[in-house]
């Protein structure tokens, strides 16, 4: 067994040790420890995380998420980013200045740069991450694909202030929920965005640590006893559970560390042009811990997903709890005419979040 495989197989022990140490260490040391753990984790699994989702996620997405997103002009986050860069190029930005932050191994950004090159769109893309090993690997991958002139890679911590001059497009893809200094980060984004530029994001905006809001957990726990033993298997605990066990992932890393603060912080610096949110009680059933228990090929498994989705959709429509994910486009204050919100506004999302916080 390789060292990488050994660490991954016994990762739950490491998570428990880091969680314990974080509770006993002074706050600055705890933050450094979590940042180190996150750097190691993403070095061990550098692939784009969207590529590791269970098959049942894609069943749910195609049947329920996709049609709604398509009506908003979103076929996928990656296609959404590509389309917005094309718009910037057609409006006269040559080359289009693109800044992507928290890129990890930057596989999504490298694919995007290649698609733009093939579409004859000139870009100057800058990818930023705090992990130097991933940035070196990304640079090698980009050069091997002949993209060395259009994309570059920089290493620094986005929790400290920064400014990139007049970026036409800024992408924050699945990274807001890793940032501890969100207020500083959002001010830096505002300072870096061109006057007519656009900030794009697909991210997680649920409860901190990817925990469950009280009313969301109620729905999940009501469904759980109706599952088969095979469907109740939890990959995190490597065991079948009689009751779903929420986990605070921010206890051992920066995973979801301030997820519930993302929307309020963005509202402080920007106006939302697009705010599309989705997913509440359905999320545990289609993600990595539980989702591999369900197959799109098995009618009984699909039935569970359909049933939970119906419960979730009704609760969200009635405003009983906020959603956990967003795809968004933002502009400088006063530059986002005719905003498009679905199913609710960012302000209402913040109100629902505060209502759930009051129930904790």
């Amino acid at each position: 067994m390789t060292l990488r495989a050994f660490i991954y197989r016994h990762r739950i022990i490491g998570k428990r040790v880091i969680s314990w140490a974080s509770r006993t260490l002074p706050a600055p040391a705890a933050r450094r420890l979590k940042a180190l753990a996150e750097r190691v984790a993403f070095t061990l699994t550098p692939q784009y995380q969207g590529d590791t989702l269970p098959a049942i996620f894609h069943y749910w997405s195609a049947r329920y998420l996709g049609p709604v997103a398509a009506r908003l002009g979103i076929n996928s986050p990656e296609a959404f980013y590509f389309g917005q860069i094309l718009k910037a190029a057609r409006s006269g930005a040559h080359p289009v200045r693109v800044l992507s932050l928290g890129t990890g191994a930057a596989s999504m950004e490298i694919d995007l740069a290649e698609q733009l090159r093939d579409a004859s769109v000139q870009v100057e893309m800058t990818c930023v991450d705090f992990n130097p090993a991933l940035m070196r690997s990304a640079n090698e991958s980009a050069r091997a694909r002949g993209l060395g002139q259009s994309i570059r890679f920089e290493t620094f911590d986005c929790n400290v202030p920064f400014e990139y001059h007049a970026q036409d497009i800024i992408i924050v893809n699945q990274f807001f929920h890793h940032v501890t200094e969100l207020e500083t980060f959002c001010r830096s984004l505002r300072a870096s965005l061109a006057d007519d530029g656009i900030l794009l994001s697909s991210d997680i905006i649920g409860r901190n640590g990817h925990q469950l809001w009280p009313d969301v957990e109620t729905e999940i726990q009501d469904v759980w006893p109706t599952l088969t033993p095979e469907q109740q298997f939890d990959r995190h605990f490597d065991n079948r559970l009689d009751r779903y066990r929420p986990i605070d992932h921010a206890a051992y890393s920066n995973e979801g560390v301030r997820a519930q603060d993302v929307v309020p912080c963005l509202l402080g610096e920007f106006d939302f042009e697009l705010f599309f949110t989705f997913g509440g009680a359905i999320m545990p059933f289609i993600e990595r811990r539980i989702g591999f228990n369900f197959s799109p090929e098995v009618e009984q498994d699909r039935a569970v997903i359909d049933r939970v989705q119906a419960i979730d959709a009704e609760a969200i429509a009635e405003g009983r709890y906020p959603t956990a994910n967003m795809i968004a486009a933002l502009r400088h204050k006063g530059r986002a005419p005719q905003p498009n919100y679905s199913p609710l506004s960012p302000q209402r999302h913040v109100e629902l979040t505060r209502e759930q916080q009051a129930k904790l």
Side-chain angles (χ1 to χ4, degrees):
M1 181 184 296
T2 65
L3 177 60
R4 175 177 294 191
F6 178 84
I7 294 173
Y8 184 78
R9 182 174 180 179
H10 298 283
R11 63 194 181 282
I12 190 170
I13 298 173
K15 290 175 180 179
R16 288 171 177 169
V17 170
I18 294 168
S19 179
W20 172 83
S22 297
R23 292 193 301 270
T24 58
L25 290 170
R31 285 195 295 269
R32 288 194 294 271
L33 177 62
K34 290 179 181 180
L36 176 61
E38 192 160 89
R39 182 176 296 184
V40 170
F42 280 96
T43 300
L44 290 171
T45 56
Q47 70 268 36
Y48 182 38
Q49 294 299 291
D51 297 334
T52 66
L53 290 167
I56 200 67
F57 173 89
H58 301 291
Y59 163 79
W60 169 80
S61 177
R63 182 166 185 179
Y64 297 108
L65 180 61
V68 180
R71 289 196 291 271
L72 298 171
I74 304 169
N75 292 320
S76 70
E78 298 83 359
F80 179 55
Y81 304 150
F82 180 78
Q84 291 293 329
I85 296 171
L86 284 183
K87 286 183 182 179
R90 291 168 184 157
S91 68
H94 297 289
V96 183
R97 290 159 296 189
V98 180
L99 173 65
S100 188
L101 298 154
T103 63
S107 58
M108 187 271 289
E109 287 78 4
I110 293 170
D111 287 345
L112 186 59
E114 188 170 56
Q115 293 170 34
L116 291 163
R117 180 191 63 188
D118 294 344
S120 300
V121 176
Q122 291 185 319
V123 296
E124 291 179 355
M125 184 179 293
T126 303
C127 297
V128 176
D129 197 87
F130 81 141
N131 190 321
L134 292 184
M135 290 292 88
R136 288 192 296 269
S137 175
N139 187 48
E140 292 172 2
S141 297
R143 291 186 178 277
R145 291 163 68 170
L147 298 168
Q149 299 301 313
S150 61
I151 186 169
R152 62 193 180 99
F153 304 89
E154 297 189 5
T155 303
F156 71 80
D157 185 352
C158 291
N159 288 292
V160 300
F162 62 85
E163 182 175 350
Y164 283 84
H165 178 66
Q167 298 297 300
D168 301 301
I169 305 283
I170 298 179
I171 298 173
V172 183
N173 187 69
Q174 296 299 317
F175 179 61
F176 274 118
H177 68 274
H178 291 276
V179 178
T180 56
E181 303 301 322
L182 270 174
E183 292 81 4
T184 298
F185 184 53
C186 289
R187 285 194 295 269
S188 297
L189 294 175
R190 177 171 53 80
S192 299
L193 189 65
D195 289 345
D196 58 351
I198 189 166
L199 168 62
L200 308 173
S201 182
S202 170
D203 225 302
I204 300 173
I205 54 173
R207 186 180 171 191
N208 288 350
H210 304 329
Q211 299 178 88
L212 302 174
W213 291 120
D215 288 349
V216 176
E217 182 173 359
T218 296
E219 300 291 359
I220 293 170
Q221 301 297 6
D222 285 347
V223 170
W224 197 258
T226 70
L227 304 180
T228 67
E230 293 77 16
Q231 292 170 340
Q232 293 174 331
F233 183 81
D234 191 313
R235 295 175 78 224
H236 179 85
F237 297 103
D238 196 27
N239 203 353
R240 185 187 72 82
L241 302 181
D242 292 328
R243 179 179 176 83
Y244 182 77
R245 291 175 59 182
I247 297 171
D248 181 3
H249 294 280
Y252 58 82
S253 73
N254 287 333
E255 184 66 44
V257 62
R258 292 189 62 194
Q260 67 199 45
D261 300 324
V262 170
V263 176
C265 284
L266 285 171
L267 283 170
E269 304 293 340
F270 300 95
D271 286 341
F272 280 85
E273 181 174 284
L274 169 70
F275 186 65
F276 171 48
T277 61
F278 53 92
I282 189 63
M283 298 312 298
F285 299 94
I286 57 175
E287 292 186 335
R288 296 174 187 87
R289 280 178 58 194
I290 309 299
F292 287 100
N293 302 340
F294 300 90
S295 169
E297 308 301 321
V298 178
E299 182 178 356
Q300 184 181 22
D301 292 345
R302 294 196 307 270
V304 172
I305 301 304
D306 295 342
R307 178 160 53 94
V308 178
Q309 169 62 26
I311 294 169
D312 211 18
E314 180 180 350
I316 292 170
E318 293 176 354
R320 297 209 302 268
Y321 50 69
T323 47
N325 307 273
M326 76 170 182
I327 296 177
L330 304 98
R331 294 193 184 270
H332 284 295
K333 291 286 187 181
R335 290 181 175 265
Q338 297 180 331
N340 193 349
Y341 304 149
S342 179
L344 75 174
S345 71
Q347 292 82 4
R348 180 56 180 154
H349 173 87
V350 173
E351 291 173 358
L352 290 172
T353 296
R354 289 172 177 163
E355 289 175 10
Q356 291 297 307
Q357 285 178 281
K359 295 183 178 184
L360 295 174

